[in-house]
């Protein structure tokens, strides 16, 4: 599975990478009400992202665990700017998610602009009661996601994907690059 992530970067992220501009109207972009009461360990998120990228790409990590894959050779300042621009591009358009089960049991939630969030399976399991109770609060106002179970009906995988997306929304609303990880 992790190889399919690398192979699919351009197909998934590149095609959806059109530059979207945030709107200047109240309530845009819509955001979910769910603010998870628990955090995931950022060192473990960084370790998983490095693994999924085969240690071959630089990436920036935001405070709630969202990451942005970076071009090689950027200075720290340019890397921060690129990461902030990538997350703004996701946030300024409707952030479609593409969750992927990974070979280590975690879930990678991918967005456009070479960004994503990892949901650690053991953290999700430890906080399952909250995920089960609040996952629908991970939808934005009037949002309908069609799943194999029906509109806004989620299996355990989908509930965890909504958790990952909730973290991305938290990062997008108050973006702070907390670390830049270099490959090699």
């Amino acid at each position: 599975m992790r190889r399919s992530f690398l192979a699919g970067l351009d197909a998934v992220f590149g095609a959806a990478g059109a530059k979207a501009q945030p709107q200047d109207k109240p309530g845009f972009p819509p955001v979910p009400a769910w603010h998870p009461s628990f955090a995931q360990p950022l060192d473990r998120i960084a370790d998983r992202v490095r693994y999924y990228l085969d240690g071959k790409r630089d990436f920036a990590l935001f405070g709630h665990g969202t990451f942005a894959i970076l071009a090689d050779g950027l200075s720290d300042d340019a890397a921060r700017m690129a990461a902030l621009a990538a997350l703004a591009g996701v946030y300024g358009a409707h952030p479609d998610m593409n969750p992927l089960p990974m070979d280590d049991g975690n879930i990678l939630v991918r967005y456009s602009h070479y960004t994503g969030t990892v949901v650690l399976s053991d953290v999700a399991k430890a906080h399952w009661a909250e995920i089960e109770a609040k996952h629908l609060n991970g939808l934005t106002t009037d949002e309908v996601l069609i799943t194999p179970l029906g509109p806004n009906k989620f299996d355990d995988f989908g509930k965890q994907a909504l958790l990952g997306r909730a973290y991305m929304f938290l990062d997008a609303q108050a973006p702070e690059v907390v670390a830049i990880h270099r490959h090699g």
Side-chain angles (χ1 to χ4, degrees), residues 108-120:
L108 173 64
V109 184
R110 301 176 293 179
Y111 317 102
S112 61
H113 300 278
Y114 295 95
T115 61
T117 310
V118 177
V119 177
L120 299 169

Side-chain angles (χ1 to χ4, degrees), residues 124-146:
K125 184 177 179 182
H127 297 278
W128 191 250
E130 179 177 336
I131 295 168
E132 184 72 34
K134 297 192 176 186
H135 70 277
L136 289 176
N137 292 333
L139 297 169
T140 63
T141 306
D142 299 324
E143 182 177 31
V144 177
L145 297 180
I146 306 300

Side-chain angles (χ1 to χ4, degrees), residues 2-181:
R2 103 187 132 99
R3 296 263 184 235
S4 65
F5 174 64
L6 281 176
L9 281 177
D10 287 329
V12 173
F13 293 128
K19 304 239 186 228
Q21 299 298 319
Q23 304 299 314
D24 291 329
K25 57 185 180 178
F28 187 88
V31 297
W34 188 16
H35 297 186
S37 67
F38 58 95
Q40 299 191 100
L42 295 180
D43 59 333
R44 290 187 51 213
I45 297 292
D47 176 71
R48 294 296 79 202
V49 173
R50 189 176 301 107
Y51 171 72
Y52 301 150
L53 296 173
D54 286 335
K56 295 179 181 177
R57 299 291 303 269
D58 293 351
F59 63 94
L61 192 62
F62 290 88
H64 291 89
T66 305
F67 66 90
I69 300 170
L70 304 168
D72 287 341
L74 296 177
S75 69
D76 285 355
D77 286 341
R80 278 188 180 77
M81 295 294 287
L84 290 167
L87 187 55
V90 172
Y91 188 53
H94 186 73
D96 290 330
M97 65 176 172
N98 185 356
L100 179 67
M102 302 307 285
D103 63 358
D104 57 2
N106 298 319
I107 295 173
L108 173 64
V109 184
R110 301 176 293 179
Y111 317 102
S112 61
H113 300 278
Y114 295 95
T115 61
T117 310
V118 177
V119 177
L120 299 169
S121 60
D122 62 321
V123 173
K125 184 177 179 182
H127 297 278
W128 191 250
E130 179 177 336
I131 295 168
E132 184 72 34
K134 297 192 176 186
H135 70 277
L136 289 176
N137 292 333
L139 297 169
T140 63
T141 306
D142 299 324
E143 182 177 31
V144 177
L145 297 180
I146 306 300
T147 75
L149 300 174
N152 289 346
K153 295 188 186 305
F154 300 94
D155 58 12
D156 292 351
F157 179 81
K159 292 171 186 176
Q160 291 174 77
L162 287 170
L163 169 66
R165 196 176 75 148
Y167 285 129
M168 182 279 300
F169 272 109
L170 291 174
D171 279 327
Q173 291 173 77
E176 178 187 0
V177 174
V178 296
I180 298 169
H181 295 270

